[in-house]
Amino acid sequence: MARVRFDKLRKVFGRDVVAVAGLDFEIADGSFVSLVGPSGCGKSTALRMIAGLEEPTSGRLLFDDRDVTGLEPRDRDIAMVFQSYALYPHMSVRENLEYGLRKRRVPAAERDQRVARIAAMLHIEPFLERKPRQLSGGQRQRVALGRALIRDPEVFLLDEPLSNLDAKLRVHMRAELATLHARVGTTMIYVTHDQLEAMTLSDRIVVMSQGVVQQIGPPEEVYARPANRFVAEFIGTPSMNLMAGELDEEGGKARFRRNGVTVPLPDSLTAAADARQVLLGIRPEDIRITADSGEATIPAQVAVAELAGAEKYIYLDVAGMQIIARTDADSPVRGGDRVGLHFRPDRLHLFDGTSDEAKAIRAG
Amino acid sequence: MTRSFRRSLAQGRTYLLVILLLLFVGFPLFWMLMSSGKLNSDIVRIPPVWIPFLPTLEHYEELFEVTQFGRWFLNSLLVCSLSTISAVTLGVLGAYSLSRLKVRGKELLGRSVLLAYMFPGVLLVIPLVLVFTRIGLMNSQVGLALAYLTFALPFVMWVMRDFLASVPVDLEEAAMIDGASRLEALRDVVLPQAFPGIIATGIFAFLFAWNEYLFAAVLVRSHDLQTLPPAMANFASAMDTRWGLIMAASTLATLPMAIAFAFVQKYLITGLGAGGVKG
């Protein structure tokens, strides 16, 4: 097991395609960290640099205090699960599992022992003599995990390992992965574009966009206090509602204004605000819908109410903008209704400007 | 017309075409085999003797007793094996480099390989003679094998590049993470995937060398060292063409290739298919 430290790690492809613009953070020993972001954000390149499959343009990579920047993949003591599983097609499951041990000259008796242990742990004993093409997607996935686990590596890398599975199996394997990590306790670094996977599995999430880290933190924090507009929109489904408008003041109280709609802001938010152009953010579940459009509410019109099993998504029109609210499935709201909205004041987010990098405005 | 009738009509047409093609390709082989068993007088008789009533082995006997056919055959085997093994070994390594490594000017290199392959042998043979004379490779089997590399190596590289490109990179990366060096990953993981391709290209490289006449005739002059094609050509001269001998020798020379193709047919089909359709 090891701590992984990125020291200004940077990767530029060709002359000026910046894949990773400088990673500078540390992953704690034994933790489960997800690199998450849209495709092309540099997360896979970052992972491949940890694996040694991609050479950094500059910067260093350290496992504990060992500089591994220039080491070959095989000298790093890492294991990796590929999106395609990358099982060796001409070898049986047993040979696939054993390959890394053979390369490291582990004696036959110990190899058998380890294969038996891993096979039992992942429930793949019945398939040991089969070839990968004779296995189902889920079984292949398990073998790929087994091949990585069997070596007992210092760092475990996973590159979108669940994305080739169907939805049901994906949820199942997600839970298995979490159990597995709790059991083996190895440092795991997980790359995904699926923010839900990142949220459910990780101790910490690293949100990346265009080669730059946008925010690092525990899932709850990244969700509750997104650092900028990009993170706010990327994390959470449906994503956070964002409304562009202006900061205003009335009677010493700050408020948000747009097209005649005003939202009073809590003091904690306005203390730090000095920008005039802002984005106001509110998550769908932090909006309460009331039937009457009273004094303290924001008037809105319901466009569509969508039932999604246990909950309902209400698409609303507020001052010419569409926003989404999430309610209980038994909410009586229907398309065409005029309603009043109440935003939970402690769950409001304010962003400085309207660009992707617009920083969250926080209390002093 | 019913649909099933139309379908069987189409099928019949396909069969007819295949049979015609088969006759076209197969007849010379049939004629060669039959003539090799005929008496000299029957070979050129008109109307032709299609199938010899009493086959004779006299041409085969003469081949081994009077000429040095056995030696030439072994010479051919030696030269072709040497050139094929070198071409496949070097070609696969070269193709792997072209398909995987990040080298500046890789595309240009790849294309120039094709150019080298398309270069006509006639134009190469004179420079080769000049160079070989200087370095003492004239009249040598190693020299001839080396000359065969001029077409065998580009051919192997060109075909294998596509084969290797179709082997997922993930596989060798997984192997390298598992503890293999790049060469070990190539040997343990990539080559087994490309095996049908290697067999197919190897067979073709061998076939080209086996049938090659020009280089063999110019670069190797001594009778003892000659390979089959130029040696057999001596059976025909301005004065006298020994048809029986030529047919018997041709039959025996065709045999190893026919056997090889029969054995590796399976690889040949998967191999050529995999190369043609990527992924």
Side-chain angles (χ1 to χ4, degrees), chain A residues 30-34 158 161-162 170-182 188-192 194-205 219-220:
Chain A
S31 63
F32 194 119
V33 171
S34 293
L158 302 113
L162 304 184
R170 196 179 312 160
V171 175
H172 176 72
M173 287 305 293
R174 202 167 71 200
E176 280 200 12
L177 261 181
T179 323
L180 204 64
H181 178 246
M188 290 195 179
I189 304 177
Y190 188 97
V191 158
T192 180
D194 184 340
Q195 48 93 19
L196 190 64
E197 273 175 24
M199 292 281 289
T200 48
L201 282 167
S202 330
D203 300 322
R204 276 152 73 84
I205 296 182
E220 311 80 45

Side-chain angles (χ1 to χ4, degrees), chain B residues 199-220:
Chain B
I199 294 290
T201 21
I203 291 267
F204 275 104
F206 192 92
L207 183 68
F208 292 151
W210 188 260
N211 290 339
E212 206 283 335
Y213 172 80
L214 182 69
F215 285 5
V218 175
L219 298 178
V220 176

Side-chain angles (χ1 to χ4, degrees), chain B:
Chain B
M1 267 196 295
T2 66
R3 181 184 289 203
S4 69
F5 177 71
R6 222 178 310 170
R7 194 176 302 157
S8 51
L9 196 71
Q11 217 167 36
R13 244 190 323 230
T14 313
Y15 273 111
L16 191 70
L17 262 171
V18 170
I19 288 167
L20 281 176
L21 201 69
L22 212 62
L23 279 177
F24 184 72
V25 175
F27 181 74
L29 288 173
F30 165 81
W31 194 244
M32 172 183 82
L33 187 65
M34 288 305 128
S35 300
S36 75
K38 288 181 208 165
L39 295 170
N40 272 330
S41 53
D42 283 349
I43 292 178
V44 290
R45 189 186 298 278
I46 291 176
V49 180
W50 292 104
I51 296 170
F53 183 61
L54 277 173
T56 169
L57 286 178
E58 63 173 37
H59 304 305
Y60 291 93
E61 280 161 16
E62 189 187 348
L63 215 50
F64 285 99
E65 278 160 18
V66 182
T67 76
Q68 289 181 287
F69 183 83
R71 155 157 256 155
W72 298 326
F73 193 93
L74 287 180
N75 287 345
S76 264
L77 216 55
L78 182 79
V79 170
C80 298
S81 304
L82 193 64
S83 82
T84 303
I85 290 168
S86 337
V88 168
T89 312
L90 295 173
V92 165
L93 288 173
Y96 177 76
S97 314
L98 280 182
S99 83
R100 290 293 199 268
L101 303 184
K102 289 165 189 151
V103 195
R104 201 183 276 267
K106 194 171 73 169
E107 265 313 299
L108 191 73
L109 260 169
R111 268 166 232 256
S112 47
V113 165
L114 189 64
L115 193 72
Y117 178 59
M118 296 194 296
F119 214 77
V122 189
L123 293 183
L124 281 179
V125 79
I126 294 166
L128 275 177
V129 167
L130 293 177
V131 173
F132 279 12
T133 311
R134 184 159 296 180
I135 60 177
L137 277 177
M138 275 304 277
N139 213 15
S140 125
Q141 290 170 327
V142 176
L144 185 56
L146 207 60
Y148 285 169
L149 281 185
T150 58
F151 58 80
L153 189 56
F155 170 75
V156 173
M157 269 179 84
W158 186 253
V159 178
M160 285 312 294
R161 190 165 90 130
D162 274 358
F163 270 108
L164 293 176
S166 70
V167 177
V169 186
D170 284 0
L171 288 182
E172 61 199 278
E173 290 184 343
M176 287 196 277
I177 286 174
D178 260 350
S181 68
R182 192 173 266 283
L183 276 180
E184 283 174 331
L186 176 67
R187 184 196 64 197
D188 295 350
V189 174
V190 181
L191 290 189
Q193 305 310 311
F195 190 65
I198 294 174
I199 294 290
T201 21
I203 291 267
F204 275 104
F206 192 92
L207 183 68
F208 292 151
W210 188 260
N211 290 339
E212 206 283 335
Y213 172 80
L214 182 69
F215 285 5
V218 175
L219 298 178
V220 176
R221 300 302 305 165
S222 101
H223 219 53
D224 289 352
L225 297 177
Q226 253 178 349
T227 52
L228 281 174
M232 279 161 57
N234 288 339
F235 294 160
S237 65
M239 293 316 210
D240 177 27
T241 299
R242 312 285 312 278
W243 284 116
L245 221 47
I246 291 177
M247 291 306 175
S250 303
T251 305
L252 289 180
T254 312
L255 224 51
M257 291 321 294
I259 292 170
F261 270 96
F263 267 108
V264 299
Q265 218 182 52
K266 187 183 72 170
Y267 291 118
L268 224 54
I269 292 163
T270 48
L272 293 177
V277 188
K278 269 197 192 173

Side-chain angles (χ1 to χ4, degrees), chain A residues 287-302 314 316 327 331-334 336-342:
Chain A
I287 301 173
R288 201 159 48 83
I289 302 178
T290 55
D292 61 308
S293 33
E295 179 70 3
T297 63
I298 300 144
Q301 180 159 17
V302 177
I314 316 288
L316 299 147
T327 66
S331 160
V333 176
R334 292 203 324 218
D337 287 358
R338 297 208 145 272
V339 292
L341 304 181
H342 180 79

Side-chain angles (χ1 to χ4, degrees), chain A residues 198-249:
Chain A
M199 292 281 289
T200 48
L201 282 167
S202 330
D203 300 322
R204 276 152 73 84
I205 296 182
V206 179
V207 185
M208 292 182 70
S209 165
Q210 298 181 339
V212 180
V213 172
Q214 305 292 322
Q215 187 169 7
I216 304 178
E220 311 80 45
E221 186 187 304
V222 172
Y223 188 76
R225 294 163 65 87
N228 59 29
R229 176 183 180 163
F230 176 83
V231 178
E233 282 188 303
F234 190 76
I235 302 288
T237 12
S239 58
M240 183 187 282
N241 297 298
L242 292 171
M243 292 155 274
E246 286 168 359
L247 269 190
D248 197 347
E249 210 176 311

